[in-house]
Every structure is written in structure tokens, then in C-alpha cells.
Amino acid sequence: MPVDGVPLRVVSYNIHSQRDDTAALAAVVRAAAPDVVIVQEGPRRFRWRQKSAALAESFGLVVAAGGLPALGNLLLTSLRVRVTASRCQRFPLTPGRHLRGAAYADCVVGRGARFTVAGSHLSTDPAERPAQAGLFARGLADASWPVIAGADLNEGPDGPAWATVAAGRTDAAVAMDRADRLTFSCANPSRRIDALFVDPRITVVDYDVVDTPQTRRASDHFPVLVDLLLPATD
């Protein structure tokens, strides 16, 4: 493992709109002690600001970006991470489908390690996903700093949307030879549809899909937990 670089722990997690055991959900995230959590299916409706803040507090984190403007994609950080800018993206609406989008936050941690964290949740419709993946990929390409992107892609690594988002980036599971770890569903694990991709300048140190009795109560997706080393950019 490289001796230089700034460590960062990231969780990417579809929390199923908090419809499951919320105490277990909070305990899972707190036990992981992440610096960044990329949330899919976070608050996006009435009182979303308060609900996002309450969710972050339950994790011991603060809100960085997202919520309703990103259609439920929510970025949370520890106080170790400083957010310098954020933005939200909405994908075009297909009549009869759910409106979806993405959230982005430019951050700095440690001694000048800058990165952009992003999250998205693509459509369940295979006809709609590739265009959304293209828009998300362009958003990642426009980032000012090395990218960390977490997403529920709603398809596996053999799909075209997955390939679009992954292009030019490191799949953290593949980097650690753990692509056999399935993320969905907790009741019957059969697919890897949740992923974390990073800029090649970022080193993947460890990767896990956390499958425990507690995570099986917390959501219908398992959380993806990744340890990274970031290059210093100052």
C-alpha cells in the first residue's frame, strides 16, 4: 500500500427511503465511521431539509449537498471534510417515470487533498438508463477535482449504463478483486447494482459490501464501504 496520500472512508448506500429499521440504519453507518456517505433514496419530498438534517445527525454527519434538488441523492460528510462548492443535476423526465438526478460536492480533506464526490440513482427502465448514465458521466467529467462517484445503477457490470459511468474510472470492487460481492437485495442477494467508481489518481485500499444481520434490517440494499487514499493537490 502506498505510504503517502490522504485516507478517506466512503460509504455508498441506497437507504430505501428509510422504510426499514432506521435505528439499525444509523447504527450501521456510525459503526463504519465514514468521512463521506453517498445516499440514494434520501429525503426528496415534504420537509426534505429537516429530514435530511435529521438523517445526517443520526449518522453523526452533516449535509453537504443534495436532497430534493437532486431527487433524493444526498451527500453527507464528517467534520473532517470541508465542502467548498456543490450542485445538483436533474435528468429529463420521461412521462410516466420517476424524475431522477445527481448531486455533486467539491471537497477538501487533510493537507490539501481535494476531490469531488458525486451520487446518482439511475432508472429501473433499461430504455431510460443509458441517457441518464451519459448525463451523469458528463457531470463527472466536468468535475474540478479527482472524482469519487457512488451510484445505484439498477443494472449489473454487463450493462451499457454501467459501462458509461465506469469508463475511465476505477471500479473499487474490481480493484480489490471483490466484484463477486452482491449488493441487492438484502433478502435474496443476487445482483451487484450498487458501485463506487474513482478517478485513477485515487488509490483503492479496501472494499467491502457489508452483509450483517443489522444491514439486512436497515435497508433492501447492502452498503458499499470503501477505503481510499487521495493525492494531495495543493
Side-chain angles (χ1 to χ4, degrees), residues 7-213:
L8 191 79
R9 174 166 282 193
V10 180
V11 168
S12 185
Y13 204 172
N14 183 321
I15 64 169
H16 200 207
S17 300
Q18 297 173 264
R19 288 181 287 195
D20 302 295
D21 186 332
T22 55
L25 177 67
V28 165
V29 175
R30 283 181 174 270
D35 299 297
V36 175
V37 178
I38 304 167
V39 174
Q40 299 90 42
E41 293 196 27
R44 59 176 287 176
R45 293 184 176 89
F46 180 65
R47 298 181 63 246
W48 66 271
R49 289 183 180 85
Q50 296 94 322
K51 291 176 181 177
S52 296
L55 177 67
E57 184 179 21
S58 76
F59 293 167
L61 304 171
V62 296
V63 175
L68 175 62
L71 289 315
N73 296 289
L74 185 65
L75 306 177
L76 310 176
T77 64
S78 72
L79 296 181
R80 179 172 174 256
V81 176
R82 180 164 60 90
V83 178
T84 59
S86 64
R87 66 186 180 91
C88 295
Q89 177 183 25
R90 290 191 173 192
F91 304 143
L93 176 63
T94 300
R97 307 296 304 175
H98 290 295
L99 190 61
R100 297 182 183 267
Y104 304 81
D106 297 332
C107 305
V108 60
V109 64
R111 296 182 178 179
R114 295 182 179 272
F115 63 97
T116 297
V117 62
S120 189
H121 183 189
L122 302 188
S123 175
T124 57
D125 181 359
E128 191 178 24
R129 276 197 302 271
Q132 292 179 350
L135 291 169
F136 185 44
R138 283 195 285 278
L140 300 177
D142 289 340
S144 301
W145 308 107
V147 165
I148 300 167
D152 174 355
L153 298 161
N154 266 314
E155 68 180 32
D158 57 345
W162 184 296
T164 296
V165 177
R169 302 178 182 93
T170 301
D171 181 335
V174 173
M176 290 290 99
D177 195 26
R178 292 175 185 166
D180 60 338
R181 301 295 304 276
L182 305 176
T183 66
F184 182 80
S185 70
C186 292
N188 180 30
S190 58
R191 306 171 69 197
R192 183 165 82 97
I193 63 174
D194 305 273
L196 191 91
F197 305 103
V198 299
D199 184 288
R201 291 170 287 181
I202 298 173
T203 301
V204 181
V205 177
D206 200 8
Y207 172 94
D208 193 17
V209 174
V210 186
D211 180 354
T212 66

Side-chain angles (χ1 to χ4, degrees), residues 204-227:
V204 181
V205 177
D206 200 8
Y207 172 94
D208 193 17
V209 174
V210 186
D211 180 354
T212 66
Q214 201 166 45
T215 59
R216 287 176 180 255
R217 296 196 307 272
S219 178
D220 61 342
H221 290 245
F222 293 119
V224 172
L225 172 63
V226 185
D227 285 308

